[in-house]
Amino acid sequence: MSVVVDGLEGLRVPEELSARVPAEQRGPGRGRDDVRLLVSRGEAVSHHAFRELPALLRAGDVLVVNTSPTLAAAVDGRLGPEPGGEPVVVHFSTRGDDGRWAVELRSPEPSGSTRPRAGGPAGAVVRLPGGGRLALAGPLTPGSGRLWWARAYGDVPGLLGRYGRPIRYGYTERDQPLSAYQTVFARPSPDGGGSAEMPSAGRPFTAGLVAELAARGVWIAPLSLHTGVASAEAHEPPYPERFEVPAGTAALVNAARATGGRVIAVGTTVVRALESAAVAGSAGAGASARAGRGWTDLVVTPARGVRVVDGLLTGLHEPEASHLLMLEAVAGRAALRSAYAAAVRDRYLWHEFGDVHLLLPEEKGHCVRCGSNSG
C-alpha cells in the first residue's frame, strides 16, 4: 500500500533524530516521561513536556490503552542441516489459531541488529536453542515472502522466556532488557501471547502520571491487540492481528461519547482494535463501540475514516509509513502536514524510544497551553 499524504512526500527525517536509547538513559535523573509532546489541534501546533498531558485533557475524557505485553520475540537460530547452517534471527510475530507461528527470518549484523533476508525456503528447518525446531511452511500472504507460517516443535513461550530478547532495529544503540519495552499498562496474557513489538505510545506513562490523570477525572480503559512485527524497510500495512475489546471498555467509550467526553486512543493499535469492533449506527446516529475479540485485518484510511475515536496519542512515524493514513483519518491532511514539519524543524525524536504526538479535535475557543476553555 502506498502512502500519499500531500506535503509529506519530500519530508526527510535526519538520521540524528532517531531515538537510540530510552529517555531514562539520556542523562542522570531522567525518567520514562522525560520526552516531548507535540500537540496538534487542526493546523495549530504547540510544544509541551509529556508530563503536561493531564492538563491538556478534561474530566470525562477516556484514554484507551493497549495492555498487551511485549515478548522477547527475537531468537537466534540456524537454518539448514547440522552441523553449521546459515545463522538467522527468528522474529516470532503472531501465533495462529492452529498453533503455527508467523515468523520473519533476518540475517544478524555484527552490531547486534539485523538486516532483511528473503523468507523460506518452504520445508526448511530452523534449529533453535534448547533443541527446538521450526519448520517453514509457506508465506503468510501470497506474493510477499517476508513473513512465513511455521510449525514450532517445542514450547514457544518457554523458548522466548529463556532464550529470547526484544526485537531491535538498526537505529538503536544497543540491546535493552525486556523491561525497557514493557509499558505500565502491560498485563500477562493467559496463553503466553503478547506483542512482537512494544505498543510504544504507552511507554512514557508512569504510575504517578496515571494517578494524576485519574485525579483529574480522566478515565483509563483497557483493551488488547497483540502487534506483529513491523517492516522498517518496506513500510507495509499491518498484517492480521489478534484483539479483544472488553465490554467494560466499550461501555465506558459509549458513555463518554454520550456525555461530551473525548475518546483518545493511546497508540495506533488501539485505533485498530476499537474501530474493528465499532458498530455503525442508523442514519444520523453515528457509531458506537462494542465488545469484540478475534482477528482484524482492518487498515484505517482517510476514505474509511474513524467512527468512535476522537483523538490519538502516538509516536512519530516515518514519512512512508502506512500508519500515516490512520493519522490522516483521525486529524486530517492539513494537521498532519503542519505537525510533521514542526517536528522536524524543532528536532523531535522518532521511533519507539522517541517523543510523542497528541492529535486532538480542533475546538474553537480552546486554550491549548492551559488545557481549558477560554470562553
Side-chain angles (χ1 to χ4, degrees):
M1 175 182 292
S2 61
V3 177
V4 180
V5 179
D6 185 30
L8 293 189
E9 298 92 340
L11 182 68
R12 293 293 176 264
V13 180
E15 186 178 344
E16 63 268 21
L17 296 188
S18 294
R20 304 193 183 281
V21 296
E24 60 271 26
Q25 296 178 19
R26 294 181 204 142
R30 294 178 64 93
R32 281 184 173 228
D33 54 358
D34 280 306
V35 296
R36 300 169 69 190
L37 176 63
L38 180 71
V39 178
S40 295
R41 293 178 183 272
E43 294 184 66
V45 173
S46 60
H47 305 277
H48 306 261
F50 184 74
R51 292 189 179 115
E52 296 177 59
L53 178 65
L56 295 164
L57 302 179
R58 304 193 300 243
D61 287 344
V62 177
L63 285 177
V64 186
V65 303
N66 189 355
T67 62
S68 177
T70 306
L71 301 175
V75 178
D76 293 326
R78 290 272 180 174
L79 180 67
E82 298 184 74
E86 177 192 353
V88 294
V89 177
V90 181
H91 288 176
F92 284 83
S93 178
T94 305
R95 183 179 183 178
D97 289 333
D98 60 359
R100 295 186 302 171
W101 280 80
V103 301
E104 178 187 25
L105 301 188
R106 297 186 56 103
S107 297
E109 292 275 27
S111 64
S113 62
T114 61
R115 65 181 184 274
R117 69 176 295 282
V125 173
V126 179
R127 289 174 280 124
L128 301 172
R133 293 287 190 275
L134 195 67
L136 301 177
L140 180 66
T141 302
S144 175
R146 192 172 67 88
L147 284 179
W148 280 59
W149 282 118
R151 178 71 64 181
Y153 296 91
D155 172 29
V156 172
L159 173 79
L160 300 185
R162 187 171 181 181
Y163 300 106
R165 61 187 180 274
I167 289 175
R168 175 191 162 196
Y169 290 112
Y171 50 76
T172 56
E173 185 175 291
R174 56 182 177 269
D175 285 343
Q176 297 289 340
L178 184 59
S179 59
Y181 291 85
Q182 300 294 8
T183 74
V184 71
F185 305 114
R187 295 294 179 267
S189 180
D191 64 357
S195 290
E197 296 186 350
M198 171 177 55
S200 56
R203 190 184 192 278
F205 286 85
T206 63
L209 192 136
V210 171
E212 185 178 349
L213 287 163
R216 287 178 173 265
V218 176
W219 296 91
I220 307 290
L223 57 73
S224 68
L225 184 141
H226 296 325
T227 65
V229 298
S231 173
E233 296 86 14
H235 300 294
E236 297 170 335
Y239 289 88
E241 294 168 324
R242 190 191 305 273
F243 77 99
E244 180 175 2
V245 178
T249 292
L252 193 56
V253 165
N254 291 331
R257 290 172 58 82
T259 56
R262 298 169 298 181
V263 178
I264 299 168
V266 178
T268 57
T269 59
V270 170
V271 177
R272 199 180 196 205
L274 277 178
E275 295 293 325
S276 295
V279 181
S282 58
S288 60
R290 68 172 176 180
R293 62 187 304 175
W295 292 84
T296 177
D297 59 0
L298 175 66
V299 178
V300 178
T301 65
R304 189 261 186 198
V306 290
R307 296 173 176 174
V308 297
V309 171
D310 300 306
L312 171 62
L313 180 72
T314 184
L316 291 162
H317 305 279
E318 293 287 352
E320 303 86 4
S322 60
H323 285 315
L324 288 179
L325 294 174
M326 179 186 292
L327 271 62
E328 186 180 346
V330 172
R333 179 171 297 178
L336 197 56
R337 188 171 54 227
S338 176
Y340 271 66
V344 171
R345 182 180 63 246
D346 288 278
R347 313 289 291 176
Y348 278 71
L349 295 180
W350 257 252
H351 302 305
E352 67 266 31
F353 296 137
D355 297 317
V356 283
H357 182 198
L358 176 62
L359 301 101
L360 290 174
E362 187 174 10
E363 295 181 3
K364 189 175 181 179
H366 191 87
C367 170
V368 174
R369 173 58 61 180
C370 64
S372 61
N373 287 330
S374 59

